Amino acid sequence: MQVTYYGHSCFTVSTNGKKILFDPFITYNELAKGKVAAETVEADYIILSHAHVDHIADAVSIAKRTGAKVVANWEIAEWFKKQGVENVHPMNTGGKWNFGDFTVKCVVAQHSSGLPDGSYGGNPMGFIISNNEGSFYYSGDTALTLDMQLIPTWAKLNFAILPIGDNFTMDATDAAACAKMIDCKEIMGVHYDTFGFIKVDAQAANQAFEKVGAKLHLLEIGETRNF
């Protein structure tokens, strides 16, 4: 599986010839300017962890341009229909669905969720994505929670994508504890440095993961790597 990072919590996973875009927030991310443009990002699927604007800001425009299927909780899916996006698949915590190219299982995320117009954004979620190429876990924005101990009962992970920025989500130490719970050695960090509230010490973050025998990957915006 190949991952391209677009900044904040936005990334694409290419697998089985399909591009899965997660939580697109590019246009309003100052760190992404000059490195990536939302207008050039391709997607076959768009998966949204929750409704906060720093996770869905570019989702409507990219969905309309690409025709990508939007996968999200019920409330977000209904809101997207009202924005003129018809190719949506609603899900909710605990459910799974085989899309043919991969299976999505929705798991617990401890966070909040509100749509840009102030309406209720439904349950925040994490996702386990699995197919013949392997499995990965994207936690979405979340606190550390004992529910993460369930993840390895559902999938043997090739890698995981976890927030490390603190303040709104787990910090690196808690994310490292999550890595241990989910039995995953390869971790890609997200949701850090974008705003003043979530600046991180990269060296300290790396050391937190080293202590649990895991490797933290902090990709540059626009960087692609294989997991």
Side-chain angles (χ1 to χ4, degrees):
M1 295 183 177
Q2 188 178 73
V3 179
T4 301
Y5 184 49
Y6 296 124
H8 200 50
S9 292
C10 180
F11 57 95
T12 291
V13 177
S14 298
T15 179
N16 277 346
K18 301 296 182 180
K19 295 182 182 298
I20 315 169
L21 176 64
F22 291 83
D23 288 356
F25 175 71
I26 300 168
T27 302
Y28 304 102
N29 181 359
E30 292 296 326
L31 300 182
K33 292 190 182 302
K35 299 176 182 177
V36 60
E39 295 80 9
T40 65
V41 172
E42 295 300 325
D44 298 292
Y45 297 86
I46 300 172
I47 298 183
L48 304 173
S49 66
H50 64 292
H52 288 161
V53 70
D54 61 323
H55 292 258
I56 71 167
D58 291 302
V60 170
S61 62
I62 294 174
K64 287 182 176 180
R65 175 173 56 80
T66 64
K69 181 181 292 293
V70 176
V71 180
N73 69 31
W74 176 266
E75 289 80 4
I76 295 173
E78 288 297 294
W79 187 82
F80 267 71
K81 287 181 182 179
K82 293 176 183 177
Q83 313 310 309
V85 178
E86 292 296 329
N87 191 12
V88 300
H89 183 100
M91 298 190 72
N92 217 323
T93 313
K96 67 177 182 296
W97 190 263
N98 187 344
F99 289 92
D101 301 302
F102 52 86
T103 296
V104 174
K105 182 171 180 62
C106 301
V107 299
V108 170
Q110 287 289 349
H111 196 57
S112 58
S113 183
L115 286 153
D117 61 7
S119 59
Y120 174 55
N123 291 334
M125 298 191 296
F127 308 97
I128 301 170
I129 313 294
S130 302
N131 63 15
N132 61 303
E133 293 186 350
S135 297
F136 68 93
Y137 167 52
Y138 171 45
S139 70
D141 281 11
T142 188
L144 180 67
T145 168
L146 291 176
D147 289 296
M148 291 164 175
Q149 294 176 106
L150 291 169
I151 302 296
T153 71
W154 291 317
K156 176 60 179 174
L157 302 174
N158 297 60
F159 64 100
I161 300 99
L162 307 176
I164 62 168
D166 206 359
N167 195 72
F168 298 114
T169 68
M170 299 186 289
D171 65 1
T173 301
D174 281 354
C178 170
K180 191 172 181 179
M181 285 184 191
I182 64 178
D183 189 24
C184 187
K185 305 296 186 186
E186 301 291 327
I187 307 297
M188 175 177 156
V190 295
H191 208 276
Y192 67 95
D193 283 359
T194 316
F195 317 115
F197 287 124
I198 57 173
K199 298 290 185 182
V200 300
D201 179 331
Q203 183 177 359
N206 278 291
Q207 290 172 347
F209 282 85
E210 289 171 4
K211 288 179 181 177
V212 299
K215 171 65 176 175
L216 176 63
H217 301 273
L218 300 179
L219 276 62
E220 297 292 332
I221 295 176
E223 183 180 350
T224 298
R225 66 151 295 153
N226 294 318
F227 282 97

